[in-house]
Amino acid sequence: MRLENKVVLISGGAKGMGAVEARLFAKEGAKIVIGDLLEAEGKQVEAEINEIGGECLFVPLNVTDEEQWKQAVAAAVARFGKLDVLVNNAGIFRSHGIEDTTTDEWDQVMDINAKGVFLGAKAAIPAMREAGGGSIINLSSVAGLVGAAYSSAYTASKGAVRLFTKSTAIQYAADGIRSNSIHPGVIQTDMTADAIADSKFKAQRVDPTPLARLGQPEDVAYGALYLASDESSFVTGAELVIDGGWTAQ
Amino acid sequence: MRLENKVALISGGARGMGAVEAKLFAKEGAKVIIGDMLEDEGRKVEAEINEAGGECAFVVLDVSDEDAWRKAVDEAVSRYGKLDILVNNAGIYRAHNVEETTADEWDQVMDINAKGVFLGTKHAIPAMRDAGGGSIVNISSVAGLTGSKVTSAYNASKGAVRLLTKSTAIQYAADGIRANSVHPGTIETPMTEGFLADDAARQDRMDRTPIGRLGRPEDVAYGALYLASDEASFVTGSELVIDGGRTAE
């Protein structure tokens, strides 16, 4: 098993990509802490993993709340003895151009998508250092690589994640802590359901995908699994693009 | 097994990264054709894989020879029934700056490192189309991402591979053929042992590798395995950087 004896904390693990990552990682031998605002859904994923012989714990987590991050990391260490892997997966999407983006919306998107990643990394690093190293996986987006007609705060937040990931990689390489970003294209999840249903968005963002399909949460989860495992022990500060060829054009 | 029922052709498979990829892919269930100019070493890898219960055949392959590529692909199809994966791994390194590089050396490096990838891709594609799709993994380099003080033709050749990979991804996505590039930092292989024998050169590479060690062939082989497998089925036109954080700075 590729994550045997690893302890993993996944933000936004109650549904969508986070839940698929939690199940896949558990199947590969990891002990999982899922943090999310959605308690009912989170408890369901927790129960599901535990029932099939995995080990999973749900903790309430608002990623903009530094105290809750500390508690989530402490819960991982208390329950499973250490923390090896952090997946900063929680995020929100807002489809507004610059002039349509209110300052409040800007703050909300940047708080959850960018500051949430910062707070998670900050809380996880001391525990990873104690574990002798670790792997931080930050979910950015193709919107962290190229501009977008349909978003502005979202694009900025994902660009922030992309470069924050590299700084983390450089600053903590000596502690054996790796840090990499994943850049999914349009993945079929609850977060993107409204956008995909919009025919203009679909024409602009989905139809030009060279592989001619929407991404599935599994596509991202396997990339995260590679980056979480020791198979990628020489990979840090890198960007894994999982977009069906969209940004290669 | 992650490559069950897959047939893989690996250029430069007789030693270094290619040989490690061949062994790893075979362990993961692939039938492997290794193509190389080095017959003795290639036969040894072939025997080793077959003795361990894998399936492997060696073919003589000069990657700058179009006819040799045709024969290598034919061998894969006639022996194992199809071709699913091509790893364009063969390459040479020359440490000369622009003025030191002779036109002959330029031609040699470009022929092997760039044209070799083009020819391999060109002849693998029809077989992959027949197989219903495939995965092409091109070994570029960090020298395909950033400039270099000590190389010029090598730099150019790896930049060519980087972008040829993206064109291949776009052009053959509709056939279910994926193409991705891998960008290793300094990996300890027969190709690099010459310049790494110099203590100052080794120290310089170490100083520029945040993670504090040089790469091993296994580091690259696991990345190639990910890209070769169906776990990466939504990944095409992407660059997988395996460099210990070197280009993140």
PDB file of all heavy atoms in Angstrom, chain A residues 2 170 173 210-211 213 215 219 222-223 226 231 233-234 236 241 243-245 249, chain B residues 2 170 173 210-211 213 215 219 222-223 226 231 233-234 236 238 244-245 249:
ATOM      1  N   ARG A   2       0.464   2.195  -0.768  1.00  0.00           N
ATOM      2  CA  ARG A   2       1.340   3.332  -1.060  1.00  0.00           C
ATOM      3  C   ARG A   2       1.389   4.390   0.040  1.00  0.00           C
ATOM      4  O   ARG A   2       2.258   5.266   0.014  1.00  0.00           O
ATOM      5  CB  ARG A   2       0.927   3.939  -2.400  1.00  0.00           C
ATOM      6  CG  ARG A   2       1.358   3.068  -3.553  1.00  0.00           C
ATOM      7  CD  ARG A   2       0.381   3.103  -4.709  1.00  0.00           C
ATOM      8  NE  ARG A   2       0.516   4.290  -5.504  1.00  0.00           N
ATOM      9  CZ  ARG A   2      -0.262   4.564  -6.562  1.00  0.00           C
ATOM     10  NH1 ARG A   2      -1.229   3.725  -6.917  1.00  0.00           N
ATOM     11  NH2 ARG A   2      -0.081   5.657  -7.251  1.00  0.00           N
ATOM     12  N   ILE A 170      10.618  25.746  -0.712  1.00  0.00           N
ATOM     13  CA  ILE A 170      11.986  26.233  -0.508  1.00  0.00           C
ATOM     14  C   ILE A 170      12.290  26.365   0.986  1.00  0.00           C
ATOM     15  O   ILE A 170      13.351  25.960   1.462  1.00  0.00           O
ATOM     16  CB  ILE A 170      12.167  27.622  -1.183  1.00  0.00           C
ATOM     17  CG1 ILE A 170      11.845  27.562  -2.681  1.00  0.00           C
ATOM     18  CG2 ILE A 170      13.568  28.178  -0.933  1.00  0.00           C
ATOM     19  CD1 ILE A 170      12.610  26.559  -3.451  1.00  0.00           C
ATOM     20  N   ALA A 173      12.301  22.618   2.799  1.00  0.00           N
ATOM     21  CA  ALA A 173      12.988  21.461   2.194  1.00  0.00           C
ATOM     22  C   ALA A 173      13.977  20.849   3.180  1.00  0.00           C
ATOM     23  O   ALA A 173      14.095  19.627   3.288  1.00  0.00           O
ATOM     24  CB  ALA A 173      13.711  21.880   0.914  1.00  0.00           C
ATOM     25  N   PRO A 210      -8.984  19.311 -24.758  1.00  0.00           N
ATOM     26  CA  PRO A 210      -8.574  18.351 -25.794  1.00  0.00           C
ATOM     27  C   PRO A 210      -9.021  16.914 -25.530  1.00  0.00           C
ATOM     28  O   PRO A 210      -9.406  16.209 -26.466  1.00  0.00           O
ATOM     29  CB  PRO A 210      -7.046  18.478 -25.801  1.00  0.00           C
ATOM     30  CG  PRO A 210      -6.812  19.907 -25.422  1.00  0.00           C
ATOM     31  CD  PRO A 210      -7.866  20.206 -24.384  1.00  0.00           C
ATOM     32  N   LEU A 211      -8.984  16.467 -24.281  1.00  0.00           N
ATOM     33  CA  LEU A 211      -9.403  15.082 -24.029  1.00  0.00           C
ATOM     34  C   LEU A 211     -10.921  14.929 -24.033  1.00  0.00           C
ATOM     35  O   LEU A 211     -11.441  13.822 -23.854  1.00  0.00           O
ATOM     36  CB  LEU A 211      -8.818  14.550 -22.713  1.00  0.00           C
ATOM     37  CG  LEU A 211      -7.334  14.156 -22.768  1.00  0.00           C
ATOM     38  CD1 LEU A 211      -6.844  13.676 -21.399  1.00  0.00           C
ATOM     39  CD2 LEU A 211      -7.044  13.070 -23.808  1.00  0.00           C
ATOM     40  N   ARG A 213     -13.564  15.580 -22.228  1.00  0.00           N
ATOM     41  CA  ARG A 213     -14.446  15.170 -21.136  1.00  0.00           C
ATOM     42  C   ARG A 213     -14.195  16.069 -19.951  1.00  0.00           C
ATOM     43  O   ARG A 213     -13.180  16.766 -19.883  1.00  0.00           O
ATOM     44  CB  ARG A 213     -14.226  13.705 -20.748  1.00  0.00           C
ATOM     45  CG  ARG A 213     -12.880  13.384 -20.087  1.00  0.00           C
ATOM     46  CD  ARG A 213     -12.925  11.962 -19.514  1.00  0.00           C
ATOM     47  NE  ARG A 213     -11.654  11.474 -19.005  1.00  0.00           N
ATOM     48  CZ  ARG A 213     -11.245  11.573 -17.737  1.00  0.00           C
ATOM     49  NH1 ARG A 213     -11.981  12.211 -16.834  1.00  0.00           N
ATOM     50  NH2 ARG A 213     -10.088  11.061 -17.352  1.00  0.00           N
ATOM     51  N   GLY A 215     -13.219  16.544 -16.056  1.00  0.00           N
ATOM     52  CA  GLY A 215     -12.421  15.778 -15.110  1.00  0.00           C
ATOM     53  C   GLY A 215     -13.306  15.200 -14.013  1.00  0.00           C
ATOM     54  O   GLY A 215     -14.359  15.744 -13.692  1.00  0.00           O
ATOM     55  N   ASP A 219      -9.541  11.705 -10.903  1.00  0.00           N
ATOM     56  CA  ASP A 219      -8.370  12.169 -11.658  1.00  0.00           C
ATOM     57  C   ASP A 219      -7.446  12.984 -10.759  1.00  0.00           C
ATOM     58  O   ASP A 219      -6.221  12.876 -10.835  1.00  0.00           O
ATOM     59  CB  ASP A 219      -8.815  13.030 -12.850  1.00  0.00           C
ATOM     60  CG  ASP A 219      -9.620  12.253 -13.879  1.00  0.00           C
ATOM     61  OD1 ASP A 219      -9.219  11.120 -14.188  1.00  0.00           O
ATOM     62  OD2 ASP A 219     -10.636  12.774 -14.359  1.00  0.00           O
ATOM     63  N   TYR A 222      -5.826  10.744  -7.707  1.00  0.00           N
ATOM     64  CA  TYR A 222      -4.642   9.944  -8.044  1.00  0.00           C
ATOM     65  C   TYR A 222      -3.389  10.819  -8.124  1.00  0.00           C
ATOM     66  O   TYR A 222      -2.301  10.386  -7.748  1.00  0.00           O
ATOM     67  CB  TYR A 222      -4.843   9.166  -9.351  1.00  0.00           C
ATOM     68  CG  TYR A 222      -5.619   7.883  -9.153  1.00  0.00           C
ATOM     69  CD1 TYR A 222      -6.881   7.712  -9.708  1.00  0.00           C
ATOM     70  CD2 TYR A 222      -5.084   6.849  -8.403  1.00  0.00           C
ATOM     71  CE1 TYR A 222      -7.596   6.529  -9.524  1.00  0.00           C
ATOM     72  CE2 TYR A 222      -5.782   5.664  -8.206  1.00  0.00           C
ATOM     73  CZ  TYR A 222      -7.043   5.503  -8.777  1.00  0.00           C
ATOM     74  OH  TYR A 222      -7.734   4.343  -8.578  1.00  0.00           O
ATOM     75  N   GLY A 223      -3.549  12.037  -8.628  1.00  0.00           N
ATOM     76  CA  GLY A 223      -2.406  12.954  -8.638  1.00  0.00           C
ATOM     77  C   GLY A 223      -1.968  13.294  -7.227  1.00  0.00           C
ATOM     78  O   GLY A 223      -0.775  13.322  -6.907  1.00  0.00           O
ATOM     79  N   TYR A 226      -0.052  10.402  -5.697  1.00  0.00           N
ATOM     80  CA  TYR A 226       1.355  10.379  -6.133  1.00  0.00           C
ATOM     81  C   TYR A 226       2.184  11.382  -5.319  1.00  0.00           C
ATOM     82  O   TYR A 226       3.263  11.043  -4.818  1.00  0.00           O
ATOM     83  CB  TYR A 226       1.432  10.694  -7.637  1.00  0.00           C
ATOM     84  CG  TYR A 226       2.839  10.988  -8.119  1.00  0.00           C
ATOM     85  CD1 TYR A 226       3.808   9.991  -8.138  1.00  0.00           C
ATOM     86  CD2 TYR A 226       3.198  12.272  -8.533  1.00  0.00           C
ATOM     87  CE1 TYR A 226       5.105  10.274  -8.562  1.00  0.00           C
ATOM     88  CE2 TYR A 226       4.492  12.559  -8.957  1.00  0.00           C
ATOM     89  CZ  TYR A 226       5.440  11.554  -8.966  1.00  0.00           C
ATOM     90  OH  TYR A 226       6.725  11.834  -9.367  1.00  0.00           O
ATOM     91  N   GLU A 231       6.785   7.889  -3.350  1.00  0.00           N
ATOM     92  CA  GLU A 231       7.186   7.752  -4.755  1.00  0.00           C
ATOM     93  C   GLU A 231       7.635   9.099  -5.325  1.00  0.00           C
ATOM     94  O   GLU A 231       8.384   9.147  -6.291  1.00  0.00           O
ATOM     95  CB  GLU A 231       6.023   7.200  -5.591  1.00  0.00           C
ATOM     96  CG  GLU A 231       5.673   5.771  -5.228  1.00  0.00           C
ATOM     97  CD  GLU A 231       4.635   5.161  -6.148  1.00  0.00           C
ATOM     98  OE1 GLU A 231       4.182   5.835  -7.102  1.00  0.00           O
ATOM     99  OE2 GLU A 231       4.260   3.998  -5.908  1.00  0.00           O
ATOM    100  N   SER A 233       9.334  11.452  -3.651  1.00  0.00           N
ATOM    101  CA  SER A 233      10.167  12.057  -2.604  1.00  0.00           C
ATOM    102  C   SER A 233      11.167  13.099  -3.118  1.00  0.00           C
ATOM    103  O   SER A 233      11.730  13.849  -2.334  1.00  0.00           O
ATOM    104  CB  SER A 233      10.881  10.974  -1.794  1.00  0.00           C
ATOM    105  OG  SER A 233      11.810  10.306  -2.606  1.00  0.00           O
ATOM    106  N   PHE A 234      11.378  13.152  -4.440  1.00  0.00           N
ATOM    107  CA  PHE A 234      12.273  14.181  -5.000  1.00  0.00           C
ATOM    108  C   PHE A 234      11.467  15.303  -5.675  1.00  0.00           C
ATOM    109  O   PHE A 234      12.026  16.161  -6.356  1.00  0.00           O
ATOM    110  CB  PHE A 234      13.253  13.541  -5.996  1.00  0.00           C
ATOM    111  CG  PHE A 234      14.479  14.358  -6.320  1.00  0.00           C
ATOM    112  CD1 PHE A 234      15.346  14.792  -5.314  1.00  0.00           C
ATOM    113  CD2 PHE A 234      14.802  14.698  -7.634  1.00  0.00           C
ATOM    114  CE1 PHE A 234      16.485  15.543  -5.611  1.00  0.00           C
ATOM    115  CE2 PHE A 234      15.942  15.442  -7.943  1.00  0.00           C
ATOM    116  CZ  PHE A 234      16.792  15.866  -6.927  1.00  0.00           C
ATOM    117  N   THR A 236       9.290  18.538  -5.244  1.00  0.00           N
ATOM    118  CA  THR A 236       8.820  19.619  -4.374  1.00  0.00           C
ATOM    119  C   THR A 236       8.856  20.937  -5.128  1.00  0.00           C
ATOM    120  O   THR A 236       9.700  21.136  -6.010  1.00  0.00           O
ATOM    121  CB  THR A 236       9.615  19.686  -3.052  1.00  0.00           C
ATOM    122  OG1 THR A 236       8.907  20.534  -2.138  1.00  0.00           O
ATOM    123  CG2 THR A 236      11.033  20.225  -3.236  1.00  0.00           C
ATOM    124  N   VAL A 241      -0.392  19.554 -13.349  1.00  0.00           N
ATOM    125  CA  VAL A 241      -1.569  20.027 -14.082  1.00  0.00           C
ATOM    126  C   VAL A 241      -2.401  18.813 -14.514  1.00  0.00           C
ATOM    127  O   VAL A 241      -1.882  17.911 -15.177  1.00  0.00           O
ATOM    128  CB  VAL A 241      -1.152  20.857 -15.310  1.00  0.00           C
ATOM    129  CG1 VAL A 241      -2.379  21.316 -16.080  1.00  0.00           C
ATOM    130  CG2 VAL A 241      -0.307  22.060 -14.876  1.00  0.00           C
ATOM    131  N   ASP A 243      -5.650  18.579 -16.392  1.00  0.00           N
ATOM    132  CA  ASP A 243      -6.671  19.399 -17.058  1.00  0.00           C
ATOM    133  C   ASP A 243      -7.062  18.915 -18.445  1.00  0.00           C
ATOM    134  O   ASP A 243      -7.659  19.682 -19.219  1.00  0.00           O
ATOM    135  CB  ASP A 243      -6.195  20.864 -17.121  1.00  0.00           C
ATOM    136  CG  ASP A 243      -5.072  21.063 -18.140  1.00  0.00           C
ATOM    137  OD1 ASP A 243      -4.487  20.060 -18.597  1.00  0.00           O
ATOM    138  OD2 ASP A 243      -4.788  22.223 -18.482  1.00  0.00           O
ATOM    139  N   GLY A 244      -6.730  17.674 -18.763  1.00  0.00           N
ATOM    140  CA  GLY A 244      -7.111  17.147 -20.071  1.00  0.00           C
ATOM    141  C   GLY A 244      -6.473  17.877 -21.235  1.00  0.00           C
ATOM    142  O   GLY A 244      -6.964  17.800 -22.359  1.00  0.00           O
ATOM    143  N   GLY A 245      -5.405  18.601 -20.987  1.00  0.00           N
ATOM    144  CA  GLY A 245      -4.679  19.289 -22.052  1.00  0.00           C
ATOM    145  C   GLY A 245      -5.085  20.744 -22.254  1.00  0.00           C
ATOM    146  O   GLY A 245      -4.571  21.417 -23.155  1.00  0.00           O
ATOM    147  N   GLN A 249      -2.513  24.271 -24.703  1.00  0.00           N
ATOM    148  CA  GLN A 249      -2.764  24.915 -26.018  1.00  0.00           C
ATOM    149  C   GLN A 249      -2.268  26.344 -26.052  1.00  0.00           C
ATOM    150  O   GLN A 249      -2.436  27.079 -25.089  1.00  0.00           O
ATOM    151  CB  GLN A 249      -4.266  24.898 -26.324  1.00  0.00           C
ATOM    152  CG  GLN A 249      -4.784  23.505 -26.538  1.00  0.00           C
ATOM    153  CD  GLN A 249      -6.285  23.481 -26.776  1.00  0.00           C
ATOM    154  OE1 GLN A 249      -6.743  23.451 -27.913  1.00  0.00           O
ATOM    155  NE2 GLN A 249      -7.035  23.507 -25.705  1.00  0.00           N
TER     156      GLN A 249
ATOM    157  N   ARG B   2      -0.455  -1.682 -11.562  1.00  0.00           N
ATOM    158  CA  ARG B   2      -0.867  -0.417 -12.187  1.00  0.00           C
ATOM    159  C   ARG B   2      -0.683  -0.364 -13.698  1.00  0.00           C
ATOM    160  O   ARG B   2      -1.193   0.551 -14.337  1.00  0.00           O
ATOM    161  CB  ARG B   2      -0.102   0.732 -11.504  1.00  0.00           C
ATOM    162  CG  ARG B   2      -0.659   1.020 -10.128  1.00  0.00           C
ATOM    163  CD  ARG B   2       0.428   1.434  -9.155  1.00  0.00           C
ATOM    164  NE  ARG B   2       0.800   2.816  -9.348  1.00  0.00           N
ATOM    165  CZ  ARG B   2       1.756   3.439  -8.637  1.00  0.00           C
ATOM    166  NH1 ARG B   2       2.414   2.764  -7.691  1.00  0.00           N
ATOM    167  NH2 ARG B   2       2.026   4.685  -8.860  1.00  0.00           N
ATOM    168  N   ILE B 170      -2.095  17.927 -27.900  1.00  0.00           N
ATOM    169  CA  ILE B 170      -3.233  18.585 -28.553  1.00  0.00           C
ATOM    170  C   ILE B 170      -3.653  17.817 -29.796  1.00  0.00           C
ATOM    171  O   ILE B 170      -4.843  17.598 -30.043  1.00  0.00           O
ATOM    172  CB  ILE B 170      -2.852  20.036 -28.957  1.00  0.00           C
ATOM    173  CG1 ILE B 170      -2.374  20.852 -27.769  1.00  0.00           C
ATOM    174  CG2 ILE B 170      -4.005  20.726 -29.680  1.00  0.00           C
ATOM    175  CD1 ILE B 170      -3.312  20.892 -26.624  1.00  0.00           C
ATOM    176  N   ALA B 173      -5.135  14.047 -28.796  1.00  0.00           N
ATOM    177  CA  ALA B 173      -6.084  13.852 -27.691  1.00  0.00           C
ATOM    178  C   ALA B 173      -7.331  13.131 -28.178  1.00  0.00           C
ATOM    179  O   ALA B 173      -7.869  12.253 -27.490  1.00  0.00           O
ATOM    180  CB  ALA B 173      -6.451  15.195 -27.065  1.00  0.00           C
ATOM    181  N   PRO B 210      17.191  22.323  -3.259  1.00  0.00           N
ATOM    182  CA  PRO B 210      16.757  22.593  -1.883  1.00  0.00           C
ATOM    183  C   PRO B 210      16.553  21.350  -1.029  1.00  0.00           C
ATOM    184  O   PRO B 210      16.819  21.359   0.171  1.00  0.00           O
ATOM    185  CB  PRO B 210      15.435  23.362  -2.076  1.00  0.00           C
ATOM    186  CG  PRO B 210      15.586  24.043  -3.391  1.00  0.00           C
ATOM    187  CD  PRO B 210      16.382  23.076  -4.244  1.00  0.00           C
ATOM    188  N   ILE B 211      16.103  20.254  -1.647  1.00  0.00           N
ATOM    189  CA  ILE B 211      15.753  19.089  -0.829  1.00  0.00           C
ATOM    190  C   ILE B 211      16.988  18.395  -0.252  1.00  0.00           C
ATOM    191  O   ILE B 211      16.868  17.522   0.619  1.00  0.00           O
ATOM    192  CB  ILE B 211      14.858  18.131  -1.650  1.00  0.00           C
ATOM    193  CG1 ILE B 211      13.782  17.518  -0.777  1.00  0.00           C
ATOM    194  CG2 ILE B 211      15.672  17.073  -2.365  1.00  0.00           C
ATOM    195  CD1 ILE B 211      12.643  16.897  -1.525  1.00  0.00           C
ATOM    196  N   ARG B 213      19.509  16.543  -1.603  1.00  0.00           N
ATOM    197  CA  ARG B 213      20.137  15.353  -2.197  1.00  0.00           C
ATOM    198  C   ARG B 213      19.956  15.424  -3.705  1.00  0.00           C
ATOM    199  O   ARG B 213      19.105  16.170  -4.199  1.00  0.00           O
ATOM    200  CB  ARG B 213      19.516  14.063  -1.661  1.00  0.00           C
ATOM    201  CG  ARG B 213      18.061  13.810  -2.095  1.00  0.00           C
ATOM    202  CD  ARG B 213      17.666  12.351  -1.779  1.00  0.00           C
ATOM    203  NE  ARG B 213      16.251  12.067  -1.987  1.00  0.00           N
ATOM    204  CZ  ARG B 213      15.738  11.569  -3.108  1.00  0.00           C
ATOM    205  NH1 ARG B 213      16.499  11.351  -4.165  1.00  0.00           N
ATOM    206  NH2 ARG B 213      14.437  11.311  -3.203  1.00  0.00           N
ATOM    207  N   GLY B 215      18.948  13.531  -7.328  1.00  0.00           N
ATOM    208  CA  GLY B 215      17.890  12.576  -7.652  1.00  0.00           C
ATOM    209  C   GLY B 215      18.419  11.196  -7.972  1.00  0.00           C
ATOM    210  O   GLY B 215      19.589  11.033  -8.330  1.00  0.00           O
ATOM    211  N   ASP B 219      13.315   8.051  -8.674  1.00  0.00           N
ATOM    212  CA  ASP B 219      12.475   9.244  -8.551  1.00  0.00           C
ATOM    213  C   ASP B 219      11.778   9.553  -9.876  1.00  0.00           C
ATOM    214  O   ASP B 219      10.604   9.937  -9.906  1.00  0.00           O
ATOM    215  CB  ASP B 219      13.324  10.451  -8.139  1.00  0.00           C
ATOM    216  CG  ASP B 219      13.952  10.287  -6.761  1.00  0.00           C
ATOM    217  OD1 ASP B 219      13.252   9.802  -5.854  1.00  0.00           O
ATOM    218  OD2 ASP B 219      15.131  10.647  -6.599  1.00  0.00           O
ATOM    219  N   TYR B 222       9.138   6.574 -10.959  1.00  0.00           N
ATOM    220  CA  TYR B 222       7.798   6.625 -10.350  1.00  0.00           C
ATOM    221  C   TYR B 222       6.931   7.708 -10.999  1.00  0.00           C
ATOM    222  O   TYR B 222       5.728   7.537 -11.155  1.00  0.00           O
ATOM    223  CB  TYR B 222       7.891   6.841  -8.836  1.00  0.00           C
ATOM    224  CG  TYR B 222       8.150   5.569  -8.078  1.00  0.00           C
ATOM    225  CD1 TYR B 222       9.328   5.379  -7.362  1.00  0.00           C
ATOM    226  CD2 TYR B 222       7.215   4.547  -8.078  1.00  0.00           C
ATOM    227  CE1 TYR B 222       9.574   4.208  -6.666  1.00  0.00           C
ATOM    228  CE2 TYR B 222       7.442   3.365  -7.379  1.00  0.00           C
ATOM    229  CZ  TYR B 222       8.626   3.201  -6.677  1.00  0.00           C
ATOM    230  OH  TYR B 222       8.851   2.033  -6.002  1.00  0.00           O
ATOM    231  N   GLY B 223       7.544   8.826 -11.387  1.00  0.00           N
ATOM    232  CA  GLY B 223       6.786   9.849 -12.107  1.00  0.00           C
ATOM    233  C   GLY B 223       6.321   9.342 -13.461  1.00  0.00           C
ATOM    234  O   GLY B 223       5.172   9.556 -13.870  1.00  0.00           O
ATOM    235  N   TYR B 226       3.407   6.970 -13.004  1.00  0.00           N
ATOM    236  CA  TYR B 226       2.140   7.697 -12.818  1.00  0.00           C
ATOM    237  C   TYR B 226       1.584   8.148 -14.165  1.00  0.00           C
ATOM    238  O   TYR B 226       0.411   7.923 -14.478  1.00  0.00           O
ATOM    239  CB  TYR B 226       2.354   8.889 -11.882  1.00  0.00           C
ATOM    240  CG  TYR B 226       1.207   9.873 -11.874  1.00  0.00           C
ATOM    241  CD1 TYR B 226      -0.038   9.511 -11.365  1.00  0.00           C
ATOM    242  CD2 TYR B 226       1.355  11.154 -12.418  1.00  0.00           C
ATOM    243  CE1 TYR B 226      -1.104  10.413 -11.383  1.00  0.00           C
ATOM    244  CE2 TYR B 226       0.305  12.052 -12.433  1.00  0.00           C
ATOM    245  CZ  TYR B 226      -0.927  11.680 -11.925  1.00  0.00           C
ATOM    246  OH  TYR B 226      -1.980  12.563 -11.954  1.00  0.00           O
ATOM    247  N   GLU B 231      -4.137   6.013 -14.051  1.00  0.00           N
ATOM    248  CA  GLU B 231      -4.367   6.973 -12.960  1.00  0.00           C
ATOM    249  C   GLU B 231      -4.229   8.407 -13.468  1.00  0.00           C
ATOM    250  O   GLU B 231      -4.787   9.330 -12.886  1.00  0.00           O
ATOM    251  CB  GLU B 231      -3.356   6.736 -11.821  1.00  0.00           C
ATOM    252  CG  GLU B 231      -3.579   5.416 -11.117  1.00  0.00           C
ATOM    253  CD  GLU B 231      -2.686   5.247  -9.895  1.00  0.00           C
ATOM    254  OE1 GLU B 231      -1.926   6.179  -9.559  1.00  0.00           O
ATOM    255  OE2 GLU B 231      -2.772   4.172  -9.270  1.00  0.00           O
ATOM    256  N   SER B 233      -5.250   9.497 -16.441  1.00  0.00           N
ATOM    257  CA  SER B 233      -5.991   9.529 -17.711  1.00  0.00           C
ATOM    258  C   SER B 233      -6.517  10.913 -18.089  1.00  0.00           C
ATOM    259  O   SER B 233      -6.914  11.126 -19.228  1.00  0.00           O
ATOM    260  CB  SER B 233      -7.127   8.508 -17.700  1.00  0.00           C
ATOM    261  OG  SER B 233      -8.110   8.884 -16.777  1.00  0.00           O
ATOM    262  N   PHE B 234      -6.542  11.864 -17.158  1.00  0.00           N
ATOM    263  CA  PHE B 234      -6.967  13.240 -17.506  1.00  0.00           C
ATOM    264  C   PHE B 234      -5.751  14.173 -17.600  1.00  0.00           C
ATOM    265  O   PHE B 234      -5.891  15.388 -17.708  1.00  0.00           O
ATOM    266  CB  PHE B 234      -7.970  13.752 -16.460  1.00  0.00           C
ATOM    267  CG  PHE B 234      -8.802  14.930 -16.917  1.00  0.00           C
ATOM    268  CD1 PHE B 234      -9.572  14.859 -18.076  1.00  0.00           C
ATOM    269  CD2 PHE B 234      -8.838  16.120 -16.194  1.00  0.00           C
ATOM    270  CE1 PHE B 234     -10.348  15.935 -18.506  1.00  0.00           C
ATOM    271  CE2 PHE B 234      -9.613  17.209 -16.604  1.00  0.00           C
ATOM    272  CZ  PHE B 234     -10.368  17.104 -17.777  1.00  0.00           C
ATOM    273  N   THR B 236      -2.688  15.414 -19.698  1.00  0.00           N
ATOM    274  CA  THR B 236      -1.992  15.446 -20.983  1.00  0.00           C
ATOM    275  C   THR B 236      -1.487  16.855 -21.255  1.00  0.00           C
ATOM    276  O   THR B 236      -2.095  17.833 -20.819  1.00  0.00           O
ATOM    277  CB  THR B 236      -2.874  14.915 -22.133  1.00  0.00           C
ATOM    278  OG1 THR B 236      -2.048  14.659 -23.278  1.00  0.00           O
ATOM    279  CG2 THR B 236      -3.981  15.898 -22.532  1.00  0.00           C
ATOM    280  N   SER B 238       1.050  18.065 -19.906  1.00  0.00           N
ATOM    281  CA  SER B 238       1.563  18.576 -18.628  1.00  0.00           C
ATOM    282  C   SER B 238       3.060  18.336 -18.485  1.00  0.00           C
ATOM    283  O   SER B 238       3.633  17.505 -19.178  1.00  0.00           O
ATOM    284  CB  SER B 238       0.843  17.910 -17.454  1.00  0.00           C
ATOM    285  OG  SER B 238      -0.497  18.276 -17.428  1.00  0.00           O
ATOM    286  N   GLY B 244      13.675  18.153  -6.884  1.00  0.00           N
ATOM    287  CA  GLY B 244      14.030  18.498  -5.511  1.00  0.00           C
ATOM    288  C   GLY B 244      13.864  19.982  -5.190  1.00  0.00           C
ATOM    289  O   GLY B 244      14.481  20.483  -4.257  1.00  0.00           O
ATOM    290  N   GLY B 245      13.052  20.675  -5.959  1.00  0.00           N
ATOM    291  CA  GLY B 245      12.739  22.085  -5.684  1.00  0.00           C
ATOM    292  C   GLY B 245      13.615  23.080  -6.443  1.00  0.00           C
ATOM    293  O   GLY B 245      13.468  24.292  -6.273  1.00  0.00           O
ATOM    294  N   GLU B 249      12.636  27.907  -7.130  1.00  0.00           N
ATOM    295  CA  GLU B 249      13.262  29.111  -6.566  1.00  0.00           C
ATOM    296  C   GLU B 249      13.380  30.206  -7.608  1.00  0.00           C
ATOM    297  O   GLU B 249      13.783  29.924  -8.740  1.00  0.00           O
ATOM    298  CB  GLU B 249      14.658  28.770  -6.021  1.00  0.00           C
ATOM    299  CG  GLU B 249      14.638  28.630  -4.521  1.00  0.00           C
ATOM    300  CD  GLU B 249      16.019  28.325  -3.950  1.00  0.00           C
ATOM    301  OE1 GLU B 249      16.611  27.331  -4.379  1.00  0.00           O
ATOM    302  OE2 GLU B 249      16.463  29.067  -3.060  1.00  0.00           O
TER     303      GLU B 249
END
